[in-house]
Amino acid sequence: DPVPLNHLAMLLQDARGDSQQAEELYRKALSYAPSYAPTLSNMAGFQYSVRGDADYAEKLYRRALSVDPADVGTLINYGSLLEEHRKDGYSAQKLFDAAMTIDPYTAKRYLEQQQGDQYQEGRSPRIVKEED
């Protein structure tokens, strides 16, 4: 079952900063369930933010979205990668818009969290569009 491994990997990564053990657990979870979208998305975020491997992260985000195209977190995080690393604001905005259409509340929470992270890192945050 990939769910406990995925959650434990997130805990090790976020709370303990144990990136090596977290990566091992993500890989183990994916070996049990290669198409489990939450682990694909979390591993993508890990690869991008911890390992700096945007190419591999992008592949993982695409796989996650092929399994679950309505996952708001994956849409927002993949959009952020496209915006920050690829400098592809157009494609990023399409993903952000899709996320806002699916679940405006959750999408806005993700975007606001990332804006806070951008302020802490000294980057300019994107504008979160309000839905009418």
Side-chain angles (χ1 to χ4, degrees), residues 33-103:
S35 295
Y36 184 58
T39 302
L40 288 166
S41 185
N42 289 336
M43 177 68 141
F46 175 87
Q47 290 300 318
Y48 180 53
S49 65
V50 176
R51 297 289 184 235
D53 190 344
D55 293 332
Y56 186 41
E58 191 168 356
K59 289 176 188 175
L60 291 168
Y61 280 135
R62 286 183 183 164
R63 278 180 53 200
L65 288 173
S66 73
V67 175
D68 185 1
D71 185 272
V72 171
T74 302
L75 289 165
I76 296 294
N77 291 330
Y78 182 28
S80 294
L81 179 146
L82 292 174
E83 182 179 60
E84 295 166 8
H85 185 77
R86 302 280 184 232
K87 308 298 183 214
D88 185 354
Y90 176 78
S91 296
Q93 190 62 53
K94 284 174 53 175
L95 293 172
F96 298 148
D97 290 346
M100 289 294 283
T101 299
I102 293 164
D103 183 348

Side-chain angles (χ1 to χ4, degrees), residues 4-26 46 50:
L5 293 172
N6 182 53
H7 289 292
L8 183 56
M10 289 187 318
L11 178 66
L12 287 169
Q13 177 185 344
D14 294 339
R16 288 204 166 160
D18 188 344
S19 58
Q20 183 174 348
Q21 185 71 16
E23 185 171 19
E24 289 174 20
L25 289 174
Y26 283 134
F46 175 87
V50 176

